[in-house]
Amino acid sequence: MEYYSPTELDHAYTLLDKYGDGAVPIAGSTFFMSHREELFDAADAVIDIKKLGLNYIRLNDDGLHIGATTTFNEIFDHKLTRDGRYAILSDTAGELNTNEVRNMATIGGVICVAGEVDMPTSLLACDANIIIGSSRGTRAISMSEFHVGYLNNALEEGEMVLEVHVPQPPANTGAGFAKFQRTAADLPLVNVATHVSLDGAGACSEARVVAGAATLSGVPERSAAAEAVLLGGIIDDALIESAAAASNDIECVNDFRVSAEVRQLWVRCGVEDTLRQAAARARQGGEV
Amino acid sequence: MNAISLKINNEGYDVPVKPHWSLAYVIREKIGLTGTKAGCEMGTCGSCTLLLDGKPIFSCLRMAIDAQGSDIRTIEGLEEENDGELHPLQEAFIQDHGMQCGFCTPGMILAAKHLLDHNPDPTEQQVREAIGGHLCRCGTYVRIVKAIMNAAETMRNAQATQ
Ligand SMILES: Cc1cc2nc3c(=O)[nH]c(=O)nc-3n(C[C@H](O)[C@H](O)[C@H](O)COP(=O)(O)OP(=O)(O)OC[C@H]3O[C@@H](n4cnc5c(N)ncnc54)[C@H](O)[C@@H]3O)c2cc1C
């Protein structure tokens, strides 16, 4: 097995082309190294992508841009993600409760993993786009299409993730994230993210209600039923409770860790809690 | 094999490695600095924690080859940093019996050192969060937290009298 640490994107692309599906980009290496028994045999080349200048958080007119190798702790602590309309990203990063892993794990890595993780749930709630690069150029794909199944993403041979783009939400938008786990250091048993925008009259003009980490489809999913309940309504206790009850259109897995029934109950609780938080944030102009 | 050099506690080490060897493995088995412990080797116990460019990381989840050019600090480097004396955290762990078997201690101390370097006056909650990724099979958490709180106080007092 070969190891490379390119400093230019073009060099990284050449290596990805050369090794095809035997090429493994390595960012924080927390997933790769904790699954090394399964993963090393299939790897002909590991390509360190941490020196490609993909470590940044920037705010443009069209929203927030987070480079693929930006770490969880950088997202957790950054002024652009810590407060204001993108605070759900810091909230979510902080739910990985181990400081040492937050210093290593990257946003590009966590979305590529497509398993029992938290960030993709929040990114789907934010309607984020994933910017992908290869020797053929760059393309953007919606978070809703990036995960194609459990541990399976939409990257094609020769491609890597360059950036996550979180579109600028309308004024009066708020979001919330909730995670259910057995101990503070656990992976999520299920998680929930909600994202709501209010119009001038205070009615809900946009809503995304997402559950992830343990859906039957293996990818984070939006609850069409819960969103339909919210749209056009005033987000009060009654509406929150009916939206939460409607969220059981998302089916969860039943496994040795928790039954599907309990997971679905947690989704309902998570939708209720995060909607309260999202609505409160939206009413404060999305700046809290 | 790839020839790499690592900078550990201000000392250079040239060592041949395979790309998938973890930093924890190389530091212990090839370089012989056995203060860094290898426990679960999957990022869940914290015993292999060291400081990489000043930040605590799990060295079982880092490839050694991927740590070239970084400033690595292990538990062995603490005394040197403290003019040859035990670090106040080490003293406090002894005083307060912040260990039983001692296997988690190097990782606990390095995680705590990072906390105190950045936050000299932490709350107990902040201490618990800083060591949240560390398991102690002997269950000495209460005394570990006490040791860290006491070390913080000692360090603040030393700072004040300087
Ligand atoms: C102890 C522990 C606790 C954890 N707890 C949580 C938790 O509570 N919540 C949670 O959400 N997650 C948790 N995780 C998972 C963690 O979020 C992921 O392991 C991490 O985000 C992966 O990022 P990485 O940069 O380390 O990826 P790597 O291990 O470097 O890469 C992971 C995979 O993605 C590929 N890859 C990485 N970056 C790119 C890129 N830019 N383009 C293309 N492919 C790429 C790699 O080839 C590899 O296949 C935990 C992990 C550990 C070890």
Side-chain angles (χ1 to χ4, degrees):
Chain A
M1 186 172 58
E2 303 296 322
Y3 168 85
Y4 298 95
S5 189
T7 53
E8 302 281 339
L9 266 181
D10 282 342
H11 185 207
Y13 294 156
T14 310
L15 293 166
L16 291 172
D17 286 338
K18 179 175 169 197
Y19 288 96
D21 63 6
V24 184
I26 287 294
S29 74
T30 59
F31 182 82
F32 188 67
M33 288 297 275
S34 51
H35 295 78
R36 53 185 167 250
E37 280 80 8
E38 306 100 276
L39 297 176
F40 271 112
D41 285 348
D44 300 321
V46 288
I47 305 165
D48 167 33
I49 57 167
K50 288 189 290 297
K51 299 191 181 78
L52 296 172
L54 299 176
N55 192 308
Y56 54 83
I57 302 181
R58 287 183 203 130
L59 190 62
N60 290 356
D61 291 345
D62 66 346
L64 197 69
H65 298 258
I66 307 179
T69 59
T70 307
T71 66
F72 272 54
N73 256 348
E74 285 159 350
I75 295 167
F76 183 48
D77 279 337
H78 201 282
K79 61 180 187 315
L80 289 174
T81 37
R82 192 142 202 147
D83 305 306
R85 56 188 72 187
Y86 303 105
I88 186 178
L89 301 177
S90 171
D91 296 347
T92 310
E95 284 291 337
L96 200 173
N97 284 299
T98 303
N99 189 27
E100 287 84 352
V101 180
R102 285 200 308 271
N103 278 330
M104 306 174 82
T106 67
I107 191 164
V110 77
I111 60 173
C112 286
V113 165
E116 291 96 350
V117 289
D118 297 313
M119 195 60 86
T121 303
S122 295
L123 291 176
L124 183 59
C126 295
D127 202 19
N129 301 306
I130 311 302
I131 316 298
I132 296 169
S134 72
S135 59
R136 305 183 285 281
T138 57
R139 65 182 177 116
I141 171 171
S142 155
M143 186 65 224
S144 61
E145 287 164 5
F146 185 71
H147 284 175
V148 293
Y150 183 64
L151 298 184
N152 199 356
N153 62 48
L155 289 179
E156 289 174 11
E157 223 171 275
E159 288 188 327
M160 60 178 278
V161 172
L162 299 180
E163 186 181 284
V164 172
H165 166 227
V166 185
Q168 157 108 35
N172 303 323
T173 294
F177 174 78
K179 171 182 178 180
F180 297 83
Q181 63 211 128
R182 204 173 55 84
T183 73
D186 265 346
L187 292 169
L189 294 165
V190 72
N191 55 32
V192 171
T194 59
H195 197 277
V196 293
S197 305
L198 310 180
D199 63 19
C204 177
S205 54
E206 248 186 72
R208 286 184 292 277
V209 173
V210 182
T215 60
L216 205 55
S217 63
V219 303
E221 270 183 60
R222 286 171 66 173
S223 165
E227 292 174 10
V229 169
L230 292 167
L231 282 173
I234 298 289
I235 306 182
D236 55 15
D237 282 349
L239 198 72
I240 288 176
E241 278 160 33
S242 12
S247 67
N248 64 8
D249 62 336
I250 300 179
E251 281 191 82
C252 292
V253 291
N254 188 37
D255 66 16
F256 67 94
R257 299 195 300 160
V258 202
S259 69
E261 217 181 334
V262 169
R263 280 196 169 97
Q264 251 148 306
L265 180 66
W266 282 342
V267 169
R268 181 179 176 156
C269 298
V271 170
E272 205 178 311
D273 284 356
T274 58
L275 273 179
R276 281 185 213 289
Q277 184 181 26
R281 282 174 162 172
R283 284 189 192 108
Q284 282 156 331
E287 293 308 329
V288 188
Chain B
M1 287 285 199
N2 301 59
I4 64 164
S5 3
L6 294 175
K7 189 174 148 220
I8 307 171
N9 306 326
N10 282 325
E11 192 96 22
Y13 295 90
D14 294 323
V15 33
V17 301
K18 291 190 175 169
H20 64 283
W21 285 358
S22 75
L23 184 57
Y25 171 74
V26 170
I27 286 184
R28 286 179 53 80
E29 306 296 334
K30 302 295 164 190
I31 293 175
L33 292 171
T34 53
T36 303
K37 302 300 175 200
C40 68
E41 302 200 49
M42 54 189 288
T44 48
C45 80
S47 65
C48 67
T49 298
L50 47 73
L51 302 177
L52 189 96
D53 296 324
K55 293 179 186 159
I57 62 144
F58 290 159
S59 60
C60 71
L61 296 184
R62 184 85 177 198
M63 292 178 285
I65 198 168
D66 206 9
Q68 295 183 88
S70 286
D71 179 35
I72 300 166
R73 303 283 165 147
T74 67
I75 191 74
E76 288 91 344
L78 267 196
E79 275 182 64
E80 175 215 347
E81 234 178 85
N82 204 45
D83 303 324
E85 305 276 313
L86 285 182
H87 189 277
L89 273 163
Q90 292 171 305
E91 291 284 7
F93 269 66
I94 295 169
Q95 280 301 316
D96 296 317
H97 302 286
M99 74 203 66
Q100 219 174 90
C101 81
F103 200 83
C104 69
T105 315
M108 291 280 188
I109 289 185
L110 289 174
K113 176 180 185 309
H114 178 262
L115 172 71
L116 300 189
D117 285 348
H118 292 84
N119 178 2
D121 195 3
T123 61
E124 192 174 311
Q125 174 70 20
Q126 288 168 326
V127 168
R128 288 177 184 276
E129 280 169 9
I131 60 168
H134 296 249
L135 296 180
C136 169
R137 285 295 299 271
C138 309
T140 51
Y141 296 108
V142 172
R143 284 177 280 142
I144 290 170
V145 171
K146 184 173 161 209
I148 298 171
M149 294 298 280
N150 284 341
E153 194 183 339
T154 308
M155 288 164 73
R156 284 196 306 274
N157 290 341
Q159 194 71 34
T161 55
Q162 253 176 25

